[in-house]
Amino acid sequence: QMQLMQSGPEVKKPGTSVKVSCKASGFTFSSSAVQWVRQARGQRLEWIGWIVVGSGNTNYAQKFQERVTITRDMSTSTAYMELSGLRSEDTAVYYCAAEIQLPRYSFDYWGQGALVTVSS
Amino acid sequence: EIVLTQSPGTLSLSPGERATLSCRASQSVSSSYLAWYQQKPGQAPRLLIYGASSRATGIPDRFSGSGSGTDFTLTISRLEPEDFAVYYCQQYGNSLYTFGQGTKLEIK
């Protein structure tokens, strides 16, 4: 059964960093790509960036370019998204999603989401 | 960055009716790079359509996608109660992805 399991909710202070994990199972992680998307309460989906797992190549939305790092650990089939310089506007549910048939430019499998709350 | 504009913002229809959702791009998008997702409250998005017109695994055939260039359409031929949700288009271009702002399909 193909699935992505994300880490749990986080509460962070402004100015700190958060690292969210996304563990893959049931498919060949090394042949996939993983995107990260966030959604504030009641708001639209916002694309953060993605990683092609095999090559490790990453691309980020310009809005997040300075603050985000997406990595992967192929030994544990886990992708990570780290966001630094947190502010209250970063409070959102963060999703990972995998494209398992490259290149199809669409993401079949989604994690359950991880709520990140930024509050002093 | 390619901007996707979805219309209408909200669509009010009854079960059994036909729904037509639009996604317009600020510049031409390859059909291979256009996808549609459905999201219900409290859930992660679900892939419906990839490559502008191919249904993802397990998606009923009442869902269809079409379009090319800058104009793409998601059509739901006969609405079922479970189809009322928010729909997003997503495109890939210049190594980046972007989403539209979404169309909320609500029960009339």
Side-chain angles (χ1 to χ4, degrees), chain A residues 38-119:
Chain A
R38 76 179 186 182
Q39 187 172 42
R41 183 185 292 272
Q43 301 301 309
R44 62 186 290 179
L45 298 175
E46 185 172 29
W47 190 75
I48 298 171
W50 72 310
I51 184 167
V52 179
V53 173
S55 65
N57 288 343
T58 55
N59 286 96
Y60 306 123
Q62 187 170 8
K63 174 177 179 176
F64 300 101
Q65 186 84 32
E66 306 283 322
R67 300 196 292 139
V68 71
T69 304
I70 297 174
T71 57
R72 89 298 193 218
D73 181 343
M74 291 206 280
S75 69
T76 60
S77 298
T78 304
Y80 299 91
M81 188 282 304
E82 184 170 22
L83 189 62
S84 62
L86 290 170
R87 31 205 191 235
S88 59
E89 311 90 88
D90 294 318
T91 294
V93 175
Y94 287 75
Y95 293 103
C96 61
E99 175 187 3
I100 65 170
Q101 295 184 48
L102 298 176
R104 217 163 68 168
Y105 307 104
S106 59
F107 293 84
D108 312 79
Y109 295 95
W110 291 69
Q112 80 277 22
L115 175 62
V116 175
T117 303
V118 182
S119 174

Side-chain angles (χ1 to χ4, degrees), chain A residues 35 37 39 43-47 50 59-61 95 99 104-108 110-111, chain B residues 4 32-33 35 37 39 43-45 47 50 88 90 92 95-101:
Chain A
Q35 70 172 352
V37 175
Q39 187 172 42
Q43 301 301 309
R44 62 186 290 179
L45 298 175
E46 185 172 29
W47 190 75
W50 72 310
N59 286 96
Y60 306 123
Y95 293 103
E99 175 187 3
R104 217 163 68 168
Y105 307 104
S106 59
F107 293 84
D108 312 79
W110 291 69
Chain B
L4 298 178
S32 298
Y33 300 166
Y37 297 86
Q39 187 181 31
Q43 296 183 17
L47 176 66
Y50 65 94
Y88 294 93
Q90 182 186 34
Y92 172 79
S95 301
L96 304 174
Y97 287 88
T98 55
F99 286 99
Q101 83 279 19

